[in-house]
Amino acid sequence: MYALVWAALFGALLNLTAAMLPALLLMGLKMLLRVALQLAFMVVLVYAIISWLQPGSPMYGLLGRLAEPLLAPLRRIIPAIGGVDLSALVLLLLLQIGLMVLG
């Protein structure tokens, strides 16, 4: 979406043609996916930190509703080691790898 707005604003200056539209759509999709991965990374990171520091806070409940659907599949695969849930750490690693691939 950002790429399309950019193209609309500066298209006259750059003389963009209709042949460039698929490339702009792909660029916009890549940017949207990157923002989604960054948002998921931030939510899971803050959720993990709050779960250690202050699990009774109202923010913990809100972030839990956002992060639990992402963490639940990993919790089925990765067992708790010594009572410590490592699914958030694994998800953060996977999200970071996804961001690096999008580069």
Side-chain angles (χ1 to χ4, degrees):
M1 187 60 118
Y2 174 77
L4 289 176
V5 170
W6 182 83
L9 291 174
F10 301 108
L13 296 174
L14 298 175
N15 196 13
L16 296 176
T17 63
M20 295 182 73
L21 188 61
L24 288 174
L25 288 174
L26 186 62
M27 189 172 110
L29 182 63
K30 181 180 171 184
M31 293 170 91
L32 181 65
L33 185 59
R34 185 167 178 81
V35 168
L37 288 176
Q38 287 173 340
L39 180 65
F41 186 87
M42 297 271 217
V43 166
V44 172
L45 181 64
V46 172
Y47 176 70
I49 291 171
I50 288 181
S51 73
W52 297 327
L53 299 177
Q54 197 175 19
S57 72
M59 185 87 145
Y60 180 73
L62 173 67
L63 291 173
R65 290 184 188 148
L66 295 172
E68 287 299 327
L70 300 173
L71 293 170
L74 289 174
R75 286 188 175 140
R76 282 186 242 128
I77 298 169
I78 303 167
I81 298 173
V84 177
D85 182 21
L86 298 176
S87 61
L89 180 64
V90 172
L91 182 58
L92 289 172
L93 274 167
L94 292 174
L95 290 171
Q96 191 64 35
I97 290 170
L99 286 168
M100 291 165 121
V101 168
L102 284 175

